Structure formats: structure tokens, C-alpha cells
Amino acid sequence: MLTVNYKSEKGQSVVLLALVFVALLGFAALALDSAEMYVARRNAQAASDAAALAGALAKSQNQNWKSIALERAASNGYDNDGVTNWVTVAAPPTSGQYQGNDQYLQVTISQIVDTSFLHFVFPTPVQITVSTVVRVVPPQPLTDHAIFAASESECDAMVFSGNVDVNVLGGDVFSNSNANSKNCPSLIGNGNVDVRVHAENGGVFAVGHIKINGNVDFEPTYRGGMPQEAVLSLPVPDCNLRSNYSNNPSYIYNKGSVNIDTDTTLEPGLYNHISIGSNANVRLEPGLYCIRGDFTKKGNGWVIGDDVLLVLLGGSFDLQGNSEIRLKAPAQSGVGVFTTVNGSTHDYRGLLIFADPSRYSPSSGGEVRITGNSDVYYQGTLYAPQTQCRITGNNDSQVIRSQIICRKIDFHGNTNLTIDFRTSDNYTGISTLEIAE
């Protein structure tokens, strides 16, 4: 008789279950470590992006970009302690496809990640590294021309008439109107006119044709038939926002209508109109001035203001007489950055007069008039792309360190004028930032 003896298999299931449990624990630990590494990488990438953008913005404003980028990284938990994390900032980048390119800034963050399981398998600490490269796009000027008539179709968009002597430094003269369809000129020289442009490849140019009557000399050259150009638009400052005028929460910015007959100091604010009488002297404190109506002065006296931005909301600007006028645009970010109507901030440094394009049209009537003598000095861009501008004077030599951008521009009278367009004194646009990788 055959006898079969079976060995007992009791306990094998326990062993299998134990092995499965260990495997499950391993997978769970691996999943946990993977999640920790994913979160760590995502946080490091966000901090790298923020630090690179902060550094690039500082670089565009000629600030200490390296320390600002490191401070932003530290504020997000990456303090570059050399033990748990490392932060490097380089401009230009030291590696990658943008290596050596001055338009780019690179931030690299490395971090030790605490793991639950992987450190039992790998003897070295687990480290992640992320990097961000940001491009600083150079500022785009409103236009490259020193004097620019922005109208695209009107007749006589730019006129030099009378005894006009104009020297233009740092840019040329350009009338953007193609008035040929109306059988009229884009630019006119009429009378005893001498316009000299002292700029490389400079001259007097127009999209439509140029008409000359009388003793007119445009140097070194003049030419019609140029391609039409576009002027960059600017966001409008929010004139109804208190913080654009003062950080004081109780500051009264709505100033109403002001008629001035004695020496006065004006503060930034929203004005219905400003009228300055004869012999009154007025000083403008630095800041933003929004004017719904006219800003006018007659007679003697003076108007002086440094670091001021004048926003015209439909009225005329006309400071005339034998006045001393000295107005300068904001030159520092502390007085030149304001919140716009769309809620963002914008750097208006270099902009002196801003005639809100939405408030003006050929039939609206508001104008910008620059009238004066040797005691008249403007510094900063005059931006009025939908507004008529008239510039006149006497035989005294007058210097304006401004870029003039108006819908139509009329130089007339006995004008002896130098337009000294220097980019350092005028609005040059703002740098924009974009993440390249």
C-alpha cells in the first residue's frame, strides 16, 4: 500500500502577505517621495520665476538686480544658505541657449529634498534644480522723431509760417499725414523759414507732399512720400485715485477751480481749471496734475515746477505773456509712477504733458500752445496725439528740451527756437519682461 505524506503549508500565506505588505509600503513610500519632489520642484520653480522677474525688472531700472533677485528668492523660502538650498543669479546667463546675451537674466535654484524612502536606497541626498531665464525687452519709444505730427490724413498737418528759425537736435521732423487723397500738402513751409536738423540721416520728412512758399530752407534735406508710421499709445493715469496724488488717506485731491492773482504754491490734484493772472508767481509741487478745463497764464510772473506730469482732460494749455516758464517732467520713479485707469502701474518718467487722446478730436477745440521767450524752458515729452499744438515766440532764443508729438503742429510768428531732444530728458517707454525658458 502506497502511503503519501503531505507537508503542512500552514504559514505560507502569512509570509506572502508580509512580502506584499512590504512591497506596498515601498510603493507608498515611493509615491510619497515622488509627491514631495513634485511639490518641491513646483515651489522652487515658482520662486525662481518670481526672483528672475524681480531681478530683470530691477535691471531695467538700473538697480541692484542681483541683490533684489536674491531677496525675492529668500522671501519665498530659498535663502541661499549653502546647506539646504543654493540660489544663483546671472546676467547674462552663464549656460543654455541664451548664454552671454545681455538682454537675458537667469536664476537657478537647487534644493535638498527630504525623502521618506529614497534615502535608504540612494546614499547621496536627493537634490532638485530648476532655472528661469527672463528677457528684458528694451524700451520702445513713442516715436524716434523729435517733432512728430501724428495726423494720418489731415491737410497741413505741420506748418512752418512767418519768420521761423528752428534748430532740431537729436532727431528729425516728420509729418505723418498722407493728405494726397485730399489734394493738399502734408507739410508747409511759408514765409522766411529756416529749419535745420542736426541728426544723422536727419531732415524734414512727410508721408504726403511738402509745399514751399517764399524763402524756405529745410536742411540738410526734405522729402515727401515716406511710409506712414504709428505712435505707441500710453495708458491714461487714473485721475480719480487719491493715492496717485498722495499716500495720505485724508488727502483732498479734488481741488476744484483755481483762479490765482497772488504768489501761490499748488499741490498735485484734480483741477477743474487753473487760471493764473498777471504778475502772479506759481510753484507746482512734484506730482500729478489732472486738469479738466484750461490751464492758462497771462502777463508777467513765473510758473515753475520740477517732477510734474500735467494731464489735460479736454481743455487747453496756454501759458503766455512775458512769463518765466520752467517745467520739467518727472525724473525719478518715486514721483513718476502712477496707477492707470485699468488698475496697473505705469512709469511716466520723462513725460511732461499728456493730453488724453480720448478727450480730444479735430472738433473739440482744446489746444496746446507753447508761447514765450528766452525765459521759457520745457523739459520732457509733450504727448498730444489727438490735439492741435501751436508754437510761437519772439526774436529771443528759446530752448525746449522736449519731444513734441501732436495731432497737428503749427510753428508761426517770430520764432527762434531750438528743440533739443535728449532721450535722457524725455519719455523713452518702459522695458517689458518675458519668461524665455
Side-chain angles (χ1 to χ4, degrees), residues 168-316:
V168 184
L169 310 177
D172 56 26
V173 178
F174 195 94
S175 177
N176 201 41
S177 177
N178 181 7
N180 293 341
S181 61
K182 299 181 179 180
N183 195 30
C184 58
S186 171
L187 186 150
I188 293 179
N190 184 30
N192 296 312
V193 176
D194 192 356
V195 179
R196 296 175 298 278
V197 178
H198 305 272
E200 185 177 357
N201 302 318
V204 177
F205 305 111
V207 174
H209 75 271
I210 298 174
K211 183 179 180 179
I212 292 178
N213 293 319
N215 183 24
V216 177
D217 188 11
F218 292 145
E219 300 178 10
T221 186
Y222 68 93
R223 185 166 65 250
M226 303 299 291
Q228 203 158 57
E229 300 183 11
V231 179
L232 294 180
S233 60
L234 287 177
V236 181
D238 189 344
C239 291
N240 293 302
L241 185 65
R242 178 181 286 106
S243 60
N244 270 344
Y245 306 105
S246 173
N247 292 324
N248 183 351
S250 61
Y251 184 79
I252 299 175
Y253 69 88
N254 200 328
K255 304 295 184 179
S257 299
V258 177
N259 299 294
I260 302 171
D261 293 316
T262 60
D263 293 358
T264 303
T265 296
L266 293 180
E267 296 179 330
L270 174 61
Y271 292 81
N272 290 336
H273 76 257
I274 301 174
S275 177
I276 306 173
S278 298
N279 301 318
N281 299 317
V282 176
R283 182 178 300 278
L284 305 181
E285 293 291 337
L288 175 66
Y289 293 78
C290 293
I291 306 136
R292 292 192 179 106
D294 296 341
F295 184 4
T296 60
K297 175 168 176 50
K298 297 180 180 180
N300 298 318
W302 47 258
V303 179
I304 296 176
D306 291 344
D307 294 321
V308 296
L309 171 58
L310 309 177
V311 178
L312 309 181
L313 302 175
S316 291

Side-chain angles (χ1 to χ4, degrees), residues 323-347:
S323 306
E324 177 185 355
I325 311 296
R326 296 189 178 274
L327 297 174
K328 296 182 182 180
Q332 306 173 40
S333 61
V335 293
V337 177
F338 304 107
T339 300
T340 68
V341 291
N342 61 17
S344 62
T345 58
H346 189 83
D347 190 341

Side-chain angles (χ1 to χ4, degrees), residues 4-162:
V4 180
N5 296 320
Y6 293 94
K7 293 182 178 179
S8 175
E9 296 182 1
K10 291 181 178 181
Q12 290 187 11
S13 60
V14 175
V15 174
L16 291 174
L17 286 173
L19 292 174
V20 170
F21 182 70
V22 170
L24 289 174
L25 284 177
F27 282 118
L30 184 60
L32 181 61
D33 286 346
S34 297
E36 289 177 349
M37 292 177 64
Y38 172 79
V39 171
R41 178 174 291 277
R42 186 179 63 179
N43 291 340
Q45 188 66 64
S48 176
D49 292 348
L53 288 169
L57 179 61
K59 185 174 184 290
S60 71
Q61 297 175 348
N62 297 318
Q63 298 175 352
N64 191 333
W65 48 268
K66 186 172 184 178
S67 64
I68 289 175
L70 289 172
E71 288 172 4
R72 180 59 59 87
S75 70
N76 286 306
Y78 300 88
D79 58 0
N80 193 31
D81 62 7
V83 177
T84 63
N85 67 89
W86 297 261
V87 182
T88 59
V89 184
T94 56
S95 62
Q97 62 176 318
Y98 303 107
Q99 180 178 355
N101 192 323
D102 288 332
Q103 287 191 9
Y104 294 84
L105 179 143
Q106 182 181 41
V107 171
T108 302
I109 295 179
S110 298
Q111 177 190 9
I112 300 296
V113 181
D114 293 329
T115 59
S116 303
F117 179 75
L118 289 178
H119 63 278
F120 292 114
V121 179
F122 299 101
T124 57
V126 177
Q127 179 177 305
I128 60 167
T129 298
V130 299
S131 179
T132 303
V133 177
V134 171
R135 181 189 178 207
V136 182
V137 182
Q140 298 296 313
L142 296 169
T143 176
D144 293 327
H145 310 292
I147 305 173
F148 186 84
S151 174
E152 296 184 352
S153 60
E154 292 178 278
C155 298
D156 311 335
M158 188 177 299
V159 176
F160 297 90
S161 178

